[in-house]
Amino acid sequence: MTSTDSSGVRPTRQRRAVAAALEDFDDFRSAQEIHEALKAAGDNVGLSTVYRALQAMADAGELDMLRSEAGEAVYRRCSGSHHHHLVCRVCGATVEVEGPTVERWTRAVAAEHGYADVSHTLEIFGTCARCHRG
Amino acid sequence: MTSTDSSGVRPTRQRRAVAAALEDFDDFRSAQEIHEALKAAGDNVGLSTVYRALQAMADAGELDMLRSEAGEAVYRRCSGSHHHHLVCRVCGATVEVEGPTVERWTRAVAAEHGYADVSHTLEIFGTCARCHRG
DNA sequence: ATTCCGAATGAGAATCATTGTCAAGTCAGC
DNA sequence: GCTGACTTGACAATGATTCTCATTCGGAAT
Ligand SMILES: [Zn+2]
Ligand SMILES: [Zn+2]
Ligand SMILES: [Zn+2]
Ligand SMILES: [Zn+2]
């Protein structure tokens, strides 16, 4: 029954720290950034451990991971349901978006070409209202 | 104006070799793979040069670049117009797909949230007919 | 509480793609 | 044949991520 774990990651001081750090951010962050943030907060966690924790959580579906335009893996605590992201290229401000339309479309396209076990990645980048001047 | 270059990349032996190698592939390939292929064909080109050529061509819009699930940059010679890809997770078989629907959708979503200068990435992964058994 | 064992940690080395450096090479036009 | 701007490529350097492995931890059972 349960409490904090459910079926995901086993709670240790470090993993809890990483999870907590993610709650403090609203945008996508890299492993290194999380590591920094923890260190700054006096909450020391080894870099390897941060990497492992993030991957484990992402595998458990507790986090969303995507690659920044520079190719680095960045993570974010998101809602449980399937969605995509609208990300500000400048400040990182992120909005979760859902689109039954695209979901349907990707499925249709895949089927049409005989592809099975379909998955997809879709991210939208732009500059948010605050950043693109006003 | 103009012959083979127009505004893109200046033709040298090496760059022509890289371009030619890409014609021989139908799927996305990494810089290292191109480099290998060239070496195998006796057409020696320095690795740095391959990287530079690929980036230049991608910048010039002559190539499509995306990140494999492992995060490496992979390139492919594609049609000029805007499109996305349906990629076989197993063999790499790639199909270019277009979807006015999604284009419209991303634009609408971005506008709705006040984001400007919008761009997007969308790739569909699956196993092609030949690969997912038969 | 104490014991026990597999899972988790972390310091540091090892990988690996990508980028930087810079001396030598290429080529066009003078 | 000389000059200068652009290219090349061997090699070093970077930087993110992964691996190693001795040590520590958590927590279930005693
Ligand atoms: Zn998300
Ligand atoms: Zn912004
Ligand atoms: Zn393409
Ligand atoms: Zn296939």
Side-chain angles (χ1 to χ4, degrees), chain A residues 115, chain B residues 87-94 126-132:
Chain A
Y115 280 59
Chain B
V87 182
C88 175
R89 203 178 275 125
V90 181
C91 70
T94 299
T127 47
C128 73
R130 308 183 57 191
C131 287
H132 72 267

Side-chain angles (χ1 to χ4, degrees), chain A residues 15-94:
Chain A
R15 290 181 181 184
R16 253 180 274 112
V18 170
L22 281 160
E23 296 297 335
D24 290 343
F25 293 120
D26 179 53
D27 48 355
F28 283 88
R29 297 295 173 137
S30 71
Q32 316 244 12
E33 285 177 319
I34 304 285
H35 179 244
E36 294 290 301
L38 290 175
K39 175 153 41 183
D43 218 336
N44 263 58
V45 178
L47 181 55
S48 310
T49 302
V50 174
Y51 272 101
R52 283 187 291 238
L54 289 171
Q55 281 163 339
M57 292 190 233
D59 286 349
E62 297 167 20
L63 293 183
D64 268 17
M65 182 262 253
L66 63 81
R67 302 218 161 249
S68 70
E69 297 200 346
E72 307 154 308
V74 288
Y75 302 82
R76 177 176 190 264
R77 177 78 236 288
C78 285
S79 71
S81 57
H82 181 81
H83 61 267
H84 296 282
H85 308 99
L86 176 56
V87 182
C88 175
R89 202 178 278 126
V90 180
C91 70
T94 299

